[in-house]
Amino acid sequence: MYDFETVRRRSGRGSGKWNDLARYGVREDEDIIPFSVADMEFVTPPEIVEALKHELDTSIMGYENPTCEYLDAVCSWMRERRNWDARPEWILPSPGVVDAFFEAVRTYTHEGDGVMLMTPVYHPMYMAVNMNRRKLIDCPMTNTGTSYEIDFDLMEKAASDPDTKMLILCSPHNPTGRVWTRHELECIGDICLKHDVLVVSDEIHFDLIMPGHEHTVFASISEDFANNCLVMTAPSKTFNIAGLQTSNIFIPNAELRAKYLASLKLHNPNPKCNILGYCATEAAYRNCGRWLDECLAVIDTNRKVITDFVSREFPQVRVHELEGTYLLWLDLNGLGLDYKELERINREEARLFFDEGYIFGEQGRGFERWNIACPTRYIHGALERMRKAYSK
Ligand SMILES: Cc1ncc(COP(=O)(O)O)c(C=O)c1O
């Protein structure tokens, strides 16, 4: 029913992801798209476009706060899609999730405190720790070949250090594509409760779940967990509206909420989202469920096309199972190339523009993160270029 074929070329329009193509001299007639930064190459859902047009026609672009209808749309989506009964008063809108986890680090920890990360992981999480002069407590996950497991003994040891105050949890996990099971989340939550470690759960990819997998909102597991966490969500990844800068931070614990607000005022005295972001979010959560279901089917097709091709043509390459997100994690170490040479071949010979695995931490060397939220024909084109370049 929806259009997942049209691509709007974004070169020269402020998209860093697209401008990379120009840097490498990609011409328009090569018909190449980038597969890096996590926004989609799908056009905006029509229900959102219509709602925005209506807003422009009928409202004034003044200062706006979230309305009761907005908060209700967010909570209803959570209830219907994720079986989580969130209350409107828990929600603090924020222009971004990255802003919010930086703020959480500043609010609840002091210089020198330990913050745990489950690595390899989304690179701004390292920045939130290091730039705020906190101590990075690395909890590397175990690569099982085509997936990752959590080393709970290691995590418990890290959490039991009295200096460790926070875990930034990436759920679903970027870049590995893991969707943590309820049991895994229970183990994480129990360890954190036992050792008084606050959980900052970045769930921005919570809607992007592949068939056969189930996302559990961390705070939905128990009241104790809810009182020991922040849950960070957004419609931005789900509906491809990151540029509208609207996300929702849930803080069920009133004391933690008050602390966050007080700290936020200090660093950003007038924090506001924008009127069009609220409008698009409400339209998305009320009217775009079917668009999302179709979008997930396209992503799942792309995943299958790549997985089948790679297992046939490049058995040395391992495609990690994509349980959630639209970011496929490929291990190319089996090709025996240095990771910098791999980057060069991809860009210069195969004309493939991925996010290089090493930006997510040392363990990511020799991996590529492939953003597969694009029309399937571009996946076919990319695989052909990969075949040509690598068979050399
Ligand atoms: C795990 C994760 N958190 C946060 C973000 C970005 O969030 P925002 O644009 O709301 O700051 C991304 C974007 O890729 C992400 O993957």
Side-chain angles (χ1 to χ4, degrees):
M1 180 176 156
Y2 291 103
D3 177 6
F4 293 100
E5 290 297 323
T6 301
V7 160
R8 299 226 168 101
R9 309 198 75 77
R10 296 154 69 193
S11 306
R13 299 186 68 173
S15 159
K17 164 162 104 167
W18 277 80
N19 290 345
D20 258 5
L21 300 187
R23 276 206 296 131
Y24 279 89
V26 174
R27 299 181 321 270
E28 283 248 331
D29 64 347
E30 286 184 77
D31 198 21
I32 280 172
I33 64 169
F35 299 116
S36 53
V37 178
D39 55 26
M40 300 176 174
E41 295 308 329
F42 298 134
V43 292
T44 316
E47 291 83 356
I48 295 180
V49 175
E50 281 313 309
L52 288 171
K53 283 183 180 165
H54 179 75
E55 187 75 15
L56 288 172
D57 282 342
T58 58
S59 81
I60 296 292
M61 299 292 119
Y63 293 121
E64 284 274 335
N65 291 311
T67 60
C68 292
E69 289 76 21
Y70 170 89
L71 297 171
D72 179 65
V74 177
C75 290
S76 301
W77 180 264
M78 286 296 170
R79 193 175 313 113
E80 282 153 29
R81 285 264 168 172
R82 294 292 152 232
N83 198 22
W84 183 40
D85 245 328
R87 297 215 204 106
E89 65 270 23
W90 296 349
I91 301 175
L92 306 176
S94 160
V97 165
V98 172
D99 284 359
F101 62 64
F102 264 70
E103 192 56 53
V105 167
R106 286 191 292 260
T107 304
Y108 304 110
T109 66
H110 297 107
E111 264 192 50
D113 283 348
V115 178
M116 296 198 287
L117 295 181
M118 293 153 61
T119 60
V121 78
Y122 180 52
H123 44 297
M125 292 181 177
Y126 295 95
M127 289 153 62
V129 180
N130 295 329
M131 290 168 70
N132 285 307
R133 298 202 187 86
R134 273 48 170 179
K135 196 162 80 188
L136 186 102
I137 310 292
D138 193 6
C139 284
M141 298 182 296
T142 309
N143 182 355
T144 60
T146 53
S147 188
Y148 282 81
E149 283 175 356
I150 301 167
D151 183 339
F152 287 110
D153 291 334
L154 194 83
M155 182 177 276
E156 170 118 43
K157 196 159 169 265
S160 67
D161 182 330
D163 287 343
T164 304
K165 303 291 185 209
M166 179 180 280
L167 163 70
I168 305 181
L169 173 66
C170 195
S171 174
H173 191 271
N174 171 9
T176 67
R178 279 297 322 271
V179 171
W180 307 117
T181 63
R182 190 183 175 88
H183 177 66
E184 285 170 316
L185 292 170
E186 282 169 354
C187 294
I188 293 171
D190 285 342
I191 289 173
C192 290
L193 270 182
K194 182 171 161 196
H195 298 288
D196 205 12
V197 170
L198 181 68
V199 178
V200 171
S201 190
D202 174 346
E203 303 191 21
I204 197 167
H205 297 278
F206 75 105
D207 283 314
L208 298 157
I209 307 300
M210 292 297 110
H213 298 277
E214 187 66 47
H215 175 80
T216 304
V217 176
F218 182 81
S220 73
I221 295 175
S222 74
E223 207 177 320
D224 286 343
F225 283 15
N227 279 321
N228 187 45
C229 77
L230 285 74
V231 174
M232 305 189 165
T233 72
S236 54
K237 302 287 163 199
T238 315
F239 301 104
N240 203 24
I241 51 174
L244 288 172
Q245 295 194 287
T246 304
S247 57
N248 293 297
I249 312 307
F250 295 79
I251 313 183
N253 179 326
E255 220 174 288
L256 292 179
R257 198 162 61 240
K259 227 173 152 183
Y260 182 92
L261 274 175
S263 167
L264 184 62
K265 285 258 175 232
L266 208 65
H267 305 113
N268 183 358
N270 194 14
K272 290 238 183 292
C273 296
N274 71 76
I275 186 169
L276 296 179
Y278 287 133
C279 165
T281 301
E282 200 176 327
Y285 284 156
R286 294 248 187 253
N287 302 321
C288 293
R290 273 195 66 190
W291 183 91
L292 174 59
D293 293 338
E294 284 188 30
C295 178
L296 289 173
V298 176
I299 293 166
D300 196 39
T301 299
N302 292 352
R303 174 196 66 77
K304 271 203 210 95
V305 168
I306 296 172
T307 309
D308 291 350
F309 178 94
V310 168
S311 68
R312 221 176 36 244
E313 305 279 335
F314 293 104
Q316 319 90 309
V317 173
R318 288 175 164 175
V319 182
H320 276 241
E321 282 168 43
L322 188 74
E323 300 177 351
T325 81
Y326 48 73
L327 307 165
L328 200 60
W329 190 232
L330 275 80
D331 180 356
L332 287 92
N333 282 296
L335 294 172
L337 295 163
D338 172 73
Y339 71 101
K340 282 287 183 187
E341 176 62 1
L342 188 66
E343 179 173 11
R344 192 198 63 75
I345 294 176
N346 279 332
R347 291 181 175 225
E348 293 176 18
E349 295 184 28
R351 309 302 254 169
L352 290 169
F353 298 86
F354 300 128
D355 267 322
E356 297 304 314
Y358 60 80
I359 69 174
F360 304 98
E362 286 231 339
Q363 305 150 62
R365 282 187 180 181
F367 286 74
E368 302 290 349
R369 192 192 74 170
W370 188 340
N371 176 346
I372 61 169
C374 65
T376 305
R377 66 182 186 282
Y378 285 97
I379 300 286
H380 286 297
L383 291 170
E384 269 316 308
R385 297 200 301 282
M386 188 173 168
R387 187 207 313 267
K388 274 197 199 132
Y390 282 94
S391 53
K392 275 194 214 155

